[in-house]
Amino acid sequence: MTRLDPRSRRALGRTLTKLASASVAESLDHGARQPTSDRDTTRIGFTGAPGAGKSTLVSRLAKRRLAACRDQGGIAILGIDPTSPLSGGSILGDRIRMDNIVNEPELYIRSLSSRSANDGLADNVADLLDALDSHGFCEVLLETVGVGQAEHAVRHAVDSLVMVLQPNAGDAVQAMKAGILELADIYVINKADLVGARKTASEVRGIVQRHRDTRTWLPPVIEVTQDGEAGLAELDDAISQHLDWLSKRRDPTETRRLRRRYHVQSLIVRRVAELLGEQPQLLDEPTLRDTYRKALQTLAGDEAATDPEARRDTW
Amino acid sequence: MSLKGKRILIAKPGLDGHDVGAKVIALALRDAGAEVIYTGLRKSAEYIAKVAVDEDVDVVGLSMLSGSHMELVNETMRCLKEYDAGDIKIFVGGTIPEKDREALLNAGACGVYTSEMPLEDVLSDIERQLQ
Ligand SMILES: Nc1nc2c(ncn2[C@@H]2O[C@H](COP(=O)(O)OP(=O)(O)O)[C@@H](O)[C@H]2O)c(=O)[nH]1
Ligand SMILES: [Mg+2]
C-alpha cells in the first residue's frame, strides 16, 4: 500500500477531520502524543481578498510544481473558506476551481472551514500542517480565507507567502502604503487581462522598492492571467528562488519559535472564548478588572492545560 | 437538532446541465450548520468517490435530473467500497420517479428526496440519517 493510494488517503482524510474539529484540550493532548514533525515539508501560503483568484492560481501552480514533486511525496492543498457565524455552516468552494487537477494521483486537496478562527486561517491549522508534513508530502499549498488579519497569521505558518491582488485593488494598495501588507514575499497582480493591471503592478512595485533597503529579499511583483503561461512560470520560478534564498539564511530555532508562538497564541485565544461562553457569570463581575482577574484565575486551573494522565487521576 | 460539524458533498453526476436544485440544497445544508462541498457539473462516479474520500465527508448527495440514477448510485457505491469508504452514505435528490424509490433504497441509498418534498423534511431526514 503506497502513501497516496485510496486507502491511505482515507486514513489521512479521517485524521485531518479529527484534528480540525479538536477542542483546545484535545489539540493539546494530540500535541503531547505527537511531537512537532521534524520533516521539512515546504509550505507556500496564498492570501488576498475573496475573489482575487487564489484558488484558480493555486490549482494551476500545483499542477506545474507537481512535475518536480511527483517523486518526492506529492503536493497537498489546504483551502480555507469562512464559517458562517450564524449557523456554523459553510460552503467550501475552493476546490471547484481545482477540477483540472483532481485526477493527479500525487495530489491531495482538502477543504477546511475557518470555524472559530477569525485570522484568515482555521482552528488547529498548525496541527493539520504538521499532519501533512508527517504524511510525507513534498509541498503544501495553503489558501487563506483572505479577510481580517490573514497576512499576519499565515506569515508564520508558511515559508513563502504570496499575496494575490487584482487590478485596481485600491484598498490593497492603500493598505500596503500603511505598511500592513509588507509581510508577503511575492506579489501577484492577478487577472492581468483586465484593465488597470499594468498600473496596479507599477504602484505595488513602487511601494515594494521604496522599502528596499529595509529588507534583503526584494519581493517581485508578477502579472498573471488564468489563460497565460508566462506569468505562471515567472511565479513558479520566483517561489523556488525565494525558498532557496530562505534555506540559506533562515535560523531554524527562530522559525520554530515563531510557529510555536502563533500556535499557542491561537489556542489561548480560543480557550478564552470557550471559557467565556461556558461561564457567562464571569461577565457579571462589578468591574472589568474583576472579570479579567477571575477569567485568568479560571484559566490557571484549566482542565485543558492538564495532561491526560493527571486528568485521569482526578476522575 | 443541527448538522453542525457534518461534512457533506453535493455532487452532480450525469449529463444534464442544471444545478439549481443542487445549489438550493447546498445552501440549505449550510444554513443547518453543515460544511458543504460542491463538485460542479457532470462528474463521474469515480471522481465523486475520490473527492468524498479526500474530503472525508459523512454523506454524498447525488443530485440528478435525468435517467440513469440506478447505475450512478451503484457505481458510486462500488467506488467508495473500493476506496475503503463503504461507510460514507449516499442520498439521492432530484426528479426520481416514484417507482424507482424503493429500488434506490434497496441498493443502499440512505434517502431519496424528490423536488416536491418540503426542504425542512429533507433536512430533518438527513439529520436523522447522520446521527
Ligand atoms: N478575468 C480573469 N478572471 C479570473 C482570473 N483568474 C480567476 N478569475 C475569476 O475570478 C473569480 C474568483 O476566482 P477564485 O479562484 O475562486 O478566487 P478566490 O476567492 O481568491 O479563491 C472566478 O470567477 C475566476 O474565474 C484571471 O486571470 N482573469
Ligand atoms: Mg478560493
Side-chain angles (χ1 to χ4, degrees):
Chain A
M1 175 162 110
T2 68
R3 229 176 30 75
L4 279 175
D5 84 357
R7 282 161 185 271
S8 313
R9 298 171 91 101
R10 177 83 180 122
L12 175 63
R14 292 184 138 167
T15 303
L16 295 179
T17 305
K18 225 167 121 191
L19 290 174
S21 52
S23 67
V24 171
E26 287 164 345
S27 168
L28 290 169
D29 288 355
H30 168 79
R33 284 195 306 273
Q34 179 92 39
T36 310
S37 162
D38 54 6
R39 283 193 74 264
D40 223 358
T41 303
T42 300
R43 299 169 180 181
I44 308 165
F46 297 82
T47 192
K54 298 180 293 299
S55 301
T56 312
L57 184 70
V58 166
S59 165
R60 294 176 65 223
L61 195 69
K63 186 158 194 170
R64 204 183 161 88
R65 292 185 73 82
L66 204 51
C69 284
R70 216 179 271 287
D71 303 325
Q72 324 276 316
I75 294 183
I77 299 175
L78 284 185
I80 308 175
D81 272 306
T83 293
S84 147
L86 287 180
S87 68
S90 51
I91 298 278
L92 307 179
D94 291 331
R95 80 172 301 141
I96 208 163
R97 311 263 180 237
M98 302 184 183
D99 250 15
N100 59 327
I101 52 175
V102 168
N103 287 323
E104 296 283 353
E106 292 88 5
L107 204 100
Y108 181 89
I109 306 173
R110 177 64 181 229
S111 314
L112 293 173
S113 60
S114 61
R115 296 195 176 231
S116 76
N118 49 20
D119 58 6
L121 299 181
D123 286 350
N124 302 328
V125 78
D127 294 328
L128 294 158
L129 288 166
D130 266 355
L132 294 171
D133 269 25
S134 308
H135 200 78
F137 287 102
C138 157
E139 286 189 352
V140 176
L141 311 185
L142 172 68
E143 177 184 339
T144 76
V145 174
V147 293
Q149 297 289 296
E151 297 76 40
H152 290 269
V154 73
R155 171 67 282 177
H156 302 304
V158 300
D159 302 306
S160 285
L161 179 58
V162 179
M163 174 93 207
V164 184
L165 300 165
Q166 302 185 69
N168 298 316
D171 297 352
V173 174
Q174 285 307 320
M176 283 190 71
K177 283 185 185 154
I180 294 170
L181 303 188
E182 277 163 39
L183 292 159
D185 303 305
I186 296 165
Y187 294 88
V188 165
I189 310 302
N190 207 18
K191 310 191 187 184
D193 51 307
L194 302 181
V195 278
R198 203 40 43 94
K199 182 162 165 288
T200 307
S202 71
E203 276 173 12
V204 173
R205 220 167 265 133
I207 298 162
V208 168
Q209 273 161 7
R210 231 167 293 140
H211 291 89
R212 178 171 209 156
D213 44 16
T214 63
R215 339 187 22 154
T216 43
W217 167 260
L218 179 66
V221 179
I222 303 168
E223 292 169 50
V224 179
T225 63
Q226 66 183 347
D227 305 316
E229 287 301 318
L232 190 71
E234 204 184 325
L235 172 61
D236 186 17
D237 288 345
I239 291 173
S240 297
Q241 276 166 28
H242 179 256
L243 289 168
D244 190 44
W245 178 87
L246 198 66
S247 69
K248 296 199 184 96
R249 281 165 192 78
R250 183 153 68 174
D251 172 3
T253 309
E254 184 61 14
T255 306
R256 191 185 50 73
R257 280 193 181 148
L258 284 168
R259 287 189 180 167
R260 173 67 64 84
R261 178 182 163 151
Y262 167 74
H263 198 172
V264 75
Q265 201 171 306
S266 55
L267 286 176
I268 291 172
V269 168
R270 184 144 62 97
R271 187 64 196 126
V272 170
E274 283 176 7
L275 182 77
L276 295 174
E278 288 158 12
Q279 303 192 23
Q281 73 278 9
L282 286 168
L283 306 173
D284 298 331
E285 295 292 330
T287 68
L288 182 61
R289 174 168 279 122
D290 291 329
T291 295
Y292 183 80
R293 190 183 296 135
K294 279 257 167 70
L296 285 187
Q297 277 165 5
T298 317
L299 273 180
D302 187 17
E303 272 280 282
T306 321
D307 70 57
E309 291 309 312
R311 251 195 336 257
R312 209 154 296 132
D313 288 346
T314 62
W315 284 351
Chain B
M1 265 206 315
S2 104
L3 287 167
K4 217 165 187 152
K6 299 294 182 202
R7 291 174 66 83
I8 302 179
L9 175 65
I10 297 297
K12 277 279 332 171
L15 295 178
D16 67 85
H18 300 276
D19 62 352
V20 180
K23 285 181 172 156
V24 168
I25 188 78
L27 290 174
L29 289 165
R30 176 200 62 189
D31 293 341
E35 299 181 357
V36 186
I37 298 143
Y38 175 59
T39 64
L41 295 167
R42 301 191 185 91
K43 300 301 181 221
S44 70
E46 197 189 339
Y47 177 106
I48 292 166
K50 193 161 185 280
V51 173
V53 165
D54 282 7
E55 296 285 359
D56 187 32
V57 296
D58 298 288
V59 64
V60 178
L62 296 177
S63 166
M64 289 184 274
L65 287 181
S66 61
S68 47
H69 20 264
M70 223 35 232
E71 293 96 291
L72 285 164
V73 168
N74 282 326
E75 185 60 10
T76 308
M77 213 159 283
R78 191 188 63 72
C79 291
L80 283 172
K81 287 207 180 95
E82 190 183 314
Y83 296 166
D84 202 18
D87 55 316
I88 296 180
K89 297 180 175 183
I90 294 181
F91 68 76
V92 185
T95 42
I96 313 289
E98 197 47 46
K99 65 176 172 54
D100 291 351
R101 173 191 295 276
E102 207 58 32
L104 285 165
L105 291 171
N106 286 335
C110 73
V112 176
Y113 311 119
T114 58
S115 26
E116 299 86 56
M117 272 177 82
L119 214 46
E120 305 90 82
D121 295 356
V122 173
L123 290 176
S124 61
D125 195 63
I126 293 173
E127 280 174 358
R128 206 163 48 75
Q129 297 295 340
L130 293 186
Q131 250 164 36

PDB file of all heavy atoms in Angstrom, chain A residues 227-253:
ATOM      1  N   ASP A 227      -5.219  32.407 -18.335  1.00  0.00           N
ATOM      2  CA  ASP A 227      -5.043  31.705 -19.603  1.00  0.00           C
ATOM      3  C   ASP A 227      -3.608  31.706 -20.102  1.00  0.00           C
ATOM      4  O   ASP A 227      -3.276  31.008 -21.052  1.00  0.00           O
ATOM      5  CB  ASP A 227      -5.928  32.339 -20.684  1.00  0.00           C
ATOM      6  CG  ASP A 227      -7.379  32.384 -20.258  1.00  0.00           C
ATOM      7  OD1 ASP A 227      -7.845  31.355 -19.722  1.00  0.00           O
ATOM      8  OD2 ASP A 227      -8.024  33.431 -20.431  1.00  0.00           O
ATOM      9  N   GLY A 228      -2.747  32.486 -19.470  1.00  0.00           N
ATOM     10  CA  GLY A 228      -1.381  32.591 -19.984  1.00  0.00           C
ATOM     11  C   GLY A 228      -0.381  31.819 -19.131  1.00  0.00           C
ATOM     12  O   GLY A 228      -0.544  31.712 -17.928  1.00  0.00           O
ATOM     13  N   GLU A 229       0.649  31.305 -19.781  1.00  0.00           N
ATOM     14  CA  GLU A 229       1.644  30.519 -19.063  1.00  0.00           C
ATOM     15  C   GLU A 229       2.817  31.359 -18.567  1.00  0.00           C
ATOM     16  O   GLU A 229       3.510  30.977 -17.621  1.00  0.00           O
ATOM     17  CB  GLU A 229       2.189  29.394 -19.963  1.00  0.00           C
ATOM     18  CG  GLU A 229       1.210  28.252 -20.193  1.00  0.00           C
ATOM     19  CD  GLU A 229       0.769  27.562 -18.889  1.00  0.00           C
ATOM     20  OE1 GLU A 229       1.628  27.323 -18.010  1.00  0.00           O
ATOM     21  OE2 GLU A 229      -0.440  27.289 -18.761  1.00  0.00           O
ATOM     22  N   ALA A 230       3.044  32.524 -19.215  1.00  0.00           N
ATOM     23  CA  ALA A 230       4.253  33.280 -18.908  1.00  0.00           C
ATOM     24  C   ALA A 230       4.299  33.742 -17.447  1.00  0.00           C
ATOM     25  O   ALA A 230       5.276  33.504 -16.734  1.00  0.00           O
ATOM     26  CB  ALA A 230       4.365  34.480 -19.849  1.00  0.00           C
ATOM     27  N   GLY A 231       3.224  34.371 -16.998  1.00  0.00           N
ATOM     28  CA  GLY A 231       3.177  34.866 -15.628  1.00  0.00           C
ATOM     29  C   GLY A 231       3.283  33.731 -14.618  1.00  0.00           C
ATOM     30  O   GLY A 231       3.955  33.841 -13.595  1.00  0.00           O
ATOM     31  N   LEU A 232       2.613  32.631 -14.934  1.00  0.00           N
ATOM     32  CA  LEU A 232       2.616  31.479 -14.027  1.00  0.00           C
ATOM     33  C   LEU A 232       4.032  30.915 -13.884  1.00  0.00           C
ATOM     34  O   LEU A 232       4.476  30.589 -12.780  1.00  0.00           O
ATOM     35  CB  LEU A 232       1.670  30.404 -14.557  1.00  0.00           C
ATOM     36  CG  LEU A 232       1.391  29.256 -13.594  1.00  0.00           C
ATOM     37  CD1 LEU A 232       0.513  29.733 -12.447  1.00  0.00           C
ATOM     38  CD2 LEU A 232       0.723  28.092 -14.322  1.00  0.00           C
ATOM     39  N   ALA A 233       4.725  30.847 -15.016  1.00  0.00           N
ATOM     40  CA  ALA A 233       6.101  30.327 -14.988  1.00  0.00           C
ATOM     41  C   ALA A 233       6.983  31.254 -14.159  1.00  0.00           C
ATOM     42  O   ALA A 233       7.824  30.799 -13.370  1.00  0.00           O
ATOM     43  CB  ALA A 233       6.634  30.220 -16.418  1.00  0.00           C
ATOM     44  N   GLU A 234       6.763  32.558 -14.313  1.00  0.00           N
ATOM     45  CA  GLU A 234       7.552  33.533 -13.563  1.00  0.00           C
ATOM     46  C   GLU A 234       7.295  33.386 -12.056  1.00  0.00           C
ATOM     47  O   GLU A 234       8.225  33.437 -11.251  1.00  0.00           O
ATOM     48  CB  GLU A 234       7.146  34.935 -14.041  1.00  0.00           C
ATOM     49  CG  GLU A 234       8.200  36.002 -13.817  1.00  0.00           C
ATOM     50  CD  GLU A 234       7.684  37.375 -14.233  1.00  0.00           C
ATOM     51  OE1 GLU A 234       6.911  37.462 -15.220  1.00  0.00           O
ATOM     52  OE2 GLU A 234       8.035  38.347 -13.558  1.00  0.00           O
ATOM     53  N   LEU A 235       6.028  33.167 -11.704  1.00  0.00           N
ATOM     54  CA  LEU A 235       5.671  32.980 -10.295  1.00  0.00           C
ATOM     55  C   LEU A 235       6.310  31.708  -9.741  1.00  0.00           C
ATOM     56  O   LEU A 235       6.873  31.708  -8.638  1.00  0.00           O
ATOM     57  CB  LEU A 235       4.143  32.918 -10.151  1.00  0.00           C
ATOM     58  CG  LEU A 235       3.616  32.537  -8.770  1.00  0.00           C
ATOM     59  CD1 LEU A 235       4.051  33.557  -7.722  1.00  0.00           C
ATOM     60  CD2 LEU A 235       2.093  32.416  -8.781  1.00  0.00           C
ATOM     61  N   ASP A 236       6.210  30.651 -10.523  1.00  0.00           N
ATOM     62  CA  ASP A 236       6.796  29.370 -10.133  1.00  0.00           C
ATOM     63  C   ASP A 236       8.291  29.543  -9.828  1.00  0.00           C
ATOM     64  O   ASP A 236       8.784  29.116  -8.777  1.00  0.00           O
ATOM     65  CB  ASP A 236       6.567  28.380 -11.293  1.00  0.00           C
ATOM     66  CG  ASP A 236       6.999  26.972 -10.940  1.00  0.00           C
ATOM     67  OD1 ASP A 236       7.159  26.676  -9.748  1.00  0.00           O
ATOM     68  OD2 ASP A 236       7.170  26.171 -11.878  1.00  0.00           O
ATOM     69  N   ASP A 237       8.991  30.218 -10.714  1.00  0.00           N
ATOM     70  CA  ASP A 237      10.428  30.460 -10.513  1.00  0.00           C
ATOM     71  C   ASP A 237      10.691  31.326  -9.282  1.00  0.00           C
ATOM     72  O   ASP A 237      11.611  31.067  -8.514  1.00  0.00           O
ATOM     73  CB  ASP A 237      11.037  31.179 -11.730  1.00  0.00           C
ATOM     74  CG  ASP A 237      11.151  30.248 -12.923  1.00  0.00           C
ATOM     75  OD1 ASP A 237      11.036  29.021 -12.721  1.00  0.00           O
ATOM     76  OD2 ASP A 237      11.335  30.749 -14.051  1.00  0.00           O
ATOM     77  N   ALA A 238       9.867  32.367  -9.134  1.00  0.00           N
ATOM     78  CA  ALA A 238      10.075  33.285  -8.008  1.00  0.00           C
ATOM     79  C   ALA A 238       9.924  32.543  -6.678  1.00  0.00           C
ATOM     80  O   ALA A 238      10.689  32.780  -5.739  1.00  0.00           O
ATOM     81  CB  ALA A 238       9.084  34.444  -8.091  1.00  0.00           C
ATOM     82  N   ILE A 239       8.948  31.645  -6.602  1.00  0.00           N
ATOM     83  CA  ILE A 239       8.754  30.874  -5.365  1.00  0.00           C
ATOM     84  C   ILE A 239       9.986  30.014  -5.098  1.00  0.00           C
ATOM     85  O   ILE A 239      10.516  29.991  -3.980  1.00  0.00           O
ATOM     86  CB  ILE A 239       7.480  29.998  -5.455  1.00  0.00           C
ATOM     87  CG1 ILE A 239       6.233  30.884  -5.459  1.00  0.00           C
ATOM     88  CG2 ILE A 239       7.420  29.009  -4.291  1.00  0.00           C
ATOM     89  CD1 ILE A 239       4.937  30.141  -5.721  1.00  0.00           C
ATOM     90  N   SER A 240      10.453  29.334  -6.125  1.00  0.00           N
ATOM     91  CA  SER A 240      11.634  28.475  -5.945  1.00  0.00           C
ATOM     92  C   SER A 240      12.844  29.303  -5.520  1.00  0.00           C
ATOM     93  O   SER A 240      13.613  28.888  -4.648  1.00  0.00           O
ATOM     94  CB  SER A 240      11.947  27.711  -7.230  1.00  0.00           C
ATOM     95  OG  SER A 240      10.858  26.864  -7.528  1.00  0.00           O
ATOM     96  N   GLN A 241      12.989  30.469  -6.128  1.00  0.00           N
ATOM     97  CA  GLN A 241      14.123  31.335  -5.760  1.00  0.00           C
ATOM     98  C   GLN A 241      14.015  31.802  -4.317  1.00  0.00           C
ATOM     99  O   GLN A 241      14.999  31.827  -3.585  1.00  0.00           O
ATOM    100  CB  GLN A 241      14.178  32.561  -6.669  1.00  0.00           C
ATOM    101  CG  GLN A 241      14.898  32.299  -7.985  1.00  0.00           C
ATOM    102  CD  GLN A 241      14.641  33.406  -8.989  1.00  0.00           C
ATOM    103  OE1 GLN A 241      14.397  34.552  -8.604  1.00  0.00           O
ATOM    104  NE2 GLN A 241      14.674  33.059 -10.266  1.00  0.00           N
ATOM    105  N   HIS A 242      12.804  32.154  -3.912  1.00  0.00           N
ATOM    106  CA  HIS A 242      12.639  32.615  -2.539  1.00  0.00           C
ATOM    107  C   HIS A 242      12.934  31.491  -1.545  1.00  0.00           C
ATOM    108  O   HIS A 242      13.609  31.700  -0.536  1.00  0.00           O
ATOM    109  CB  HIS A 242      11.239  33.180  -2.293  1.00  0.00           C
ATOM    110  CG  HIS A 242      11.054  33.639  -0.877  1.00  0.00           C
ATOM    111  ND1 HIS A 242      10.334  32.925   0.047  1.00  0.00           N
ATOM    112  CD2 HIS A 242      11.591  34.698  -0.214  1.00  0.00           C
ATOM    113  CE1 HIS A 242      10.411  33.549   1.212  1.00  0.00           C
ATOM    114  NE2 HIS A 242      11.151  34.621   1.088  1.00  0.00           N
ATOM    115  N   LEU A 243      12.447  30.294  -1.850  1.00  0.00           N
ATOM    116  CA  LEU A 243      12.694  29.154  -0.955  1.00  0.00           C
ATOM    117  C   LEU A 243      14.190  28.889  -0.837  1.00  0.00           C
ATOM    118  O   LEU A 243      14.706  28.595   0.245  1.00  0.00           O
ATOM    119  CB  LEU A 243      11.963  27.908  -1.472  1.00  0.00           C
ATOM    120  CG  LEU A 243      10.436  27.948  -1.344  1.00  0.00           C
ATOM    121  CD1 LEU A 243       9.805  26.808  -2.136  1.00  0.00           C
ATOM    122  CD2 LEU A 243      10.022  27.889   0.120  1.00  0.00           C
ATOM    123  N   ASP A 244      14.863  29.025  -1.953  1.00  0.00           N
ATOM    124  CA  ASP A 244      16.299  28.803  -1.997  1.00  0.00           C
ATOM    125  C   ASP A 244      17.027  29.860  -1.152  1.00  0.00           C
ATOM    126  O   ASP A 244      17.894  29.550  -0.330  1.00  0.00           O
ATOM    127  CB  ASP A 244      16.736  28.885  -3.467  1.00  0.00           C
ATOM    128  CG  ASP A 244      18.156  28.423  -3.643  1.00  0.00           C
ATOM    129  OD1 ASP A 244      18.486  27.383  -3.034  1.00  0.00           O
ATOM    130  OD2 ASP A 244      18.916  29.116  -4.351  1.00  0.00           O
ATOM    131  N   TRP A 245      16.638  31.102  -1.357  1.00  0.00           N
ATOM    132  CA  TRP A 245      17.203  32.231  -0.597  1.00  0.00           C
ATOM    133  C   TRP A 245      17.003  32.000   0.902  1.00  0.00           C
ATOM    134  O   TRP A 245      17.916  32.160   1.709  1.00  0.00           O
ATOM    135  CB  TRP A 245      16.492  33.507  -1.057  1.00  0.00           C
ATOM    136  CG  TRP A 245      16.913  34.750  -0.339  1.00  0.00           C
ATOM    137  CD1 TRP A 245      17.957  35.559  -0.669  1.00  0.00           C
ATOM    138  CD2 TRP A 245      16.302  35.314   0.820  1.00  0.00           C
ATOM    139  NE1 TRP A 245      18.034  36.587   0.223  1.00  0.00           N
ATOM    140  CE2 TRP A 245      17.038  36.465   1.152  1.00  0.00           C
ATOM    141  CE3 TRP A 245      15.211  34.948   1.615  1.00  0.00           C
ATOM    142  CZ2 TRP A 245      16.712  37.267   2.242  1.00  0.00           C
ATOM    143  CZ3 TRP A 245      14.885  35.736   2.704  1.00  0.00           C
ATOM    144  CH2 TRP A 245      15.630  36.891   3.009  1.00  0.00           C
ATOM    145  N   LEU A 246      15.780  31.553   1.232  1.00  0.00           N
ATOM    146  CA  LEU A 246      15.403  31.343   2.629  1.00  0.00           C
ATOM    147  C   LEU A 246      16.236  30.234   3.266  1.00  0.00           C
ATOM    148  O   LEU A 246      16.705  30.355   4.397  1.00  0.00           O
ATOM    149  CB  LEU A 246      13.920  30.973   2.670  1.00  0.00           C
ATOM    150  CG  LEU A 246      13.194  31.109   3.988  1.00  0.00           C
ATOM    151  CD1 LEU A 246      13.123  32.581   4.372  1.00  0.00           C
ATOM    152  CD2 LEU A 246      11.781  30.545   3.838  1.00  0.00           C
ATOM    153  N   SER A 247      16.425  29.162   2.511  1.00  0.00           N
ATOM    154  CA  SER A 247      17.101  28.000   3.095  1.00  0.00           C
ATOM    155  C   SER A 247      18.542  28.333   3.470  1.00  0.00           C
ATOM    156  O   SER A 247      19.115  27.712   4.356  1.00  0.00           O
ATOM    157  CB  SER A 247      17.061  26.828   2.115  1.00  0.00           C
ATOM    158  OG  SER A 247      17.895  27.125   1.023  1.00  0.00           O
ATOM    159  N   LYS A 248      19.101  29.338   2.812  1.00  0.00           N
ATOM    160  CA  LYS A 248      20.489  29.696   3.128  1.00  0.00           C
ATOM    161  C   LYS A 248      20.576  30.624   4.331  1.00  0.00           C
ATOM    162  O   LYS A 248      21.617  30.779   4.932  1.00  0.00           O
ATOM    163  CB  LYS A 248      21.119  30.400   1.929  1.00  0.00           C
ATOM    164  CG  LYS A 248      21.217  29.472   0.732  1.00  0.00           C
ATOM    165  CD  LYS A 248      22.222  29.982  -0.286  1.00  0.00           C
ATOM    166  CE  LYS A 248      22.237  29.112  -1.512  1.00  0.00           C
ATOM    167  NZ  LYS A 248      21.361  29.668  -2.588  1.00  0.00           N
ATOM    168  N   ARG A 249      19.477  31.291   4.653  1.00  0.00           N
ATOM    169  CA  ARG A 249      19.564  32.318   5.694  1.00  0.00           C
ATOM    170  C   ARG A 249      18.770  32.025   6.939  1.00  0.00           C
ATOM    171  O   ARG A 249      19.001  32.622   7.987  1.00  0.00           O
ATOM    172  CB  ARG A 249      19.056  33.644   5.126  1.00  0.00           C
ATOM    173  CG  ARG A 249      20.095  34.311   4.266  1.00  0.00           C
ATOM    174  CD  ARG A 249      19.474  35.403   3.435  1.00  0.00           C
ATOM    175  NE  ARG A 249      20.401  35.856   2.425  1.00  0.00           N
ATOM    176  CZ  ARG A 249      20.633  35.190   1.305  1.00  0.00           C
ATOM    177  NH1 ARG A 249      19.995  34.048   1.062  1.00  0.00           N
ATOM    178  NH2 ARG A 249      21.507  35.644   0.434  1.00  0.00           N
ATOM    179  N   ARG A 250      17.825  31.136   6.829  1.00  0.00           N
ATOM    180  CA  ARG A 250      16.889  31.014   7.929  1.00  0.00           C
ATOM    181  C   ARG A 250      17.492  30.343   9.154  1.00  0.00           C
ATOM    182  O   ARG A 250      18.221  29.376   9.047  1.00  0.00           O
ATOM    183  CB  ARG A 250      15.666  30.228   7.481  1.00  0.00           C
ATOM    184  CG  ARG A 250      14.638  30.132   8.577  1.00  0.00           C
ATOM    185  CD  ARG A 250      13.297  29.987   8.029  1.00  0.00           C
ATOM    186  NE  ARG A 250      13.135  28.703   7.371  1.00  0.00           N
ATOM    187  CZ  ARG A 250      11.951  28.323   6.914  1.00  0.00           C
ATOM    188  NH1 ARG A 250      10.911  29.107   7.013  1.00  0.00           N
ATOM    189  NH2 ARG A 250      11.842  27.169   6.332  1.00  0.00           N
ATOM    190  N   ASP A 251      17.123  30.881  10.319  1.00  0.00           N
ATOM    191  CA  ASP A 251      17.528  30.281  11.578  1.00  0.00           C
ATOM    192  C   ASP A 251      16.399  29.345  12.039  1.00  0.00           C
ATOM    193  O   ASP A 251      15.309  29.807  12.370  1.00  0.00           O
ATOM    194  CB  ASP A 251      17.755  31.418  12.593  1.00  0.00           C
ATOM    195  CG  ASP A 251      17.989  30.880  13.996  1.00  0.00           C
ATOM    196  OD1 ASP A 251      18.037  29.652  14.166  1.00  0.00           O
ATOM    197  OD2 ASP A 251      18.114  31.712  14.913  1.00  0.00           O
ATOM    198  N   PRO A 252      16.631  28.032  12.049  1.00  0.00           N
ATOM    199  CA  PRO A 252      15.555  27.095  12.355  1.00  0.00           C
ATOM    200  C   PRO A 252      14.950  27.301  13.747  1.00  0.00           C
ATOM    201  O   PRO A 252      13.743  27.108  13.939  1.00  0.00           O
ATOM    202  CB  PRO A 252      16.212  25.709  12.260  1.00  0.00           C
ATOM    203  CG  PRO A 252      17.635  25.918  11.904  1.00  0.00           C
ATOM    204  CD  PRO A 252      17.908  27.364  11.737  1.00  0.00           C
ATOM    205  N   THR A 253      15.776  27.719  14.692  1.00  0.00           N
ATOM    206  CA  THR A 253      15.245  27.964  16.037  1.00  0.00           C
ATOM    207  C   THR A 253      14.232  29.094  16.016  1.00  0.00           C
ATOM    208  O   THR A 253      13.151  29.000  16.610  1.00  0.00           O
ATOM    209  CB  THR A 253      16.389  28.343  17.007  1.00  0.00           C
ATOM    210  OG1 THR A 253      17.413  27.363  16.880  1.00  0.00           O
ATOM    211  CG2 THR A 253      15.898  28.404  18.429  1.00  0.00           C
TER     212      THR A 253
END
